[in-house]
Amino acid sequence: MALEKPYLDVPGTTIFDAEQSRKGYHLNQFCMSLMQAANRARFKANERAYLDEWPMTEAQKQGVLARDLNRCIALGGNIYFLAKIGSTDGKSFQQMAGSMTGMTEDEYRNMMIAGGRSAQGNRFVGEDGDAQAHHQPQGAAGHKKGA
């Protein structure tokens, strides 16, 4: 019998539970490998070849190559492991968080200093509050030039 997961109804939130942990095991182990300088050097020299040494799904590998952290989280990645990719790229956690919201680092920092996102409408996926994707402030980094 499957466990009931009422937390799946929280908009914009992926809970890292046992199912996510199993799904992302190899992705997260890859990330942890980046704690060793030799592995970081190998990864930076040929990202695809290094990723192909890990039994990750193609979608997980593509998420890493694109540095699409939201996709990696959906595919079982844990942000604390995924932070190793950002660190390998010379990015701060704040820069990574900004990229996950489509904001520049400054936009993200200013939003957080101002108190973060509103809690209005963050309760259920079906609500039409601030947490719904079409209400999110996708900053300058989330817009393509000329679009």
Side-chain angles (χ1 to χ4, degrees):
M1 176 163 85
L3 293 176
E4 189 174 331
K5 297 180 178 183
Y7 52 79
L8 294 178
D9 199 30
V10 179
T13 302
T14 301
I15 305 296
F16 190 74
D17 60 8
E19 183 179 342
Q20 284 294 100
S21 178
R22 284 187 295 275
K23 186 167 40 169
Y25 178 79
H26 295 292
L27 169 59
N28 292 316
Q29 291 301 303
F30 149 75
C31 292
M32 291 303 291
S33 79
L34 298 177
M35 291 182 67
Q36 295 181 354
N39 291 339
R40 288 192 299 274
R42 288 179 52 227
F43 176 63
K44 292 306 282 182
N46 187 335
E47 293 183 3
R48 182 64 203 214
Y50 189 75
L51 287 171
D52 284 341
E53 295 177 22
W54 295 88
M56 297 161 48
T57 68
E58 183 60 27
Q60 289 170 328
K61 292 175 185 181
Q62 290 300 318
V64 171
L65 291 169
R67 300 306 194 266
D68 185 344
L69 300 178
N70 291 323
R71 183 76 181 129
C72 288
I73 287 173
L75 295 169
N78 180 295
I79 190 60
Y80 297 106
F81 296 119
L82 295 170
K84 308 309 186 246
I85 299 170
S87 182
T88 297
D89 289 341
K91 305 261 188 209
S92 70
F93 201 85
Q94 184 170 282
Q95 288 171 308
M96 292 174 56
S99 77
M100 295 171 73
T101 62
M103 296 180 187
T104 64
E105 181 182 6
D106 287 340
E107 288 172 326
Y108 181 79
R109 179 180 49 249
N110 292 338
M111 178 196 62
M112 295 306 289
I113 289 170
R117 293 188 176 152
S118 168
Q120 275 311 110
N122 286 359
R123 295 170 192 85
F124 303 101
V125 170
E127 289 180 320
D128 192 32
D130 292 347
Q132 308 312 313
H134 62 279
H135 289 300
Q136 289 301 306
Q138 298 305 310
H143 299 292
K144 295 188 190 302
K145 291 182 179 168

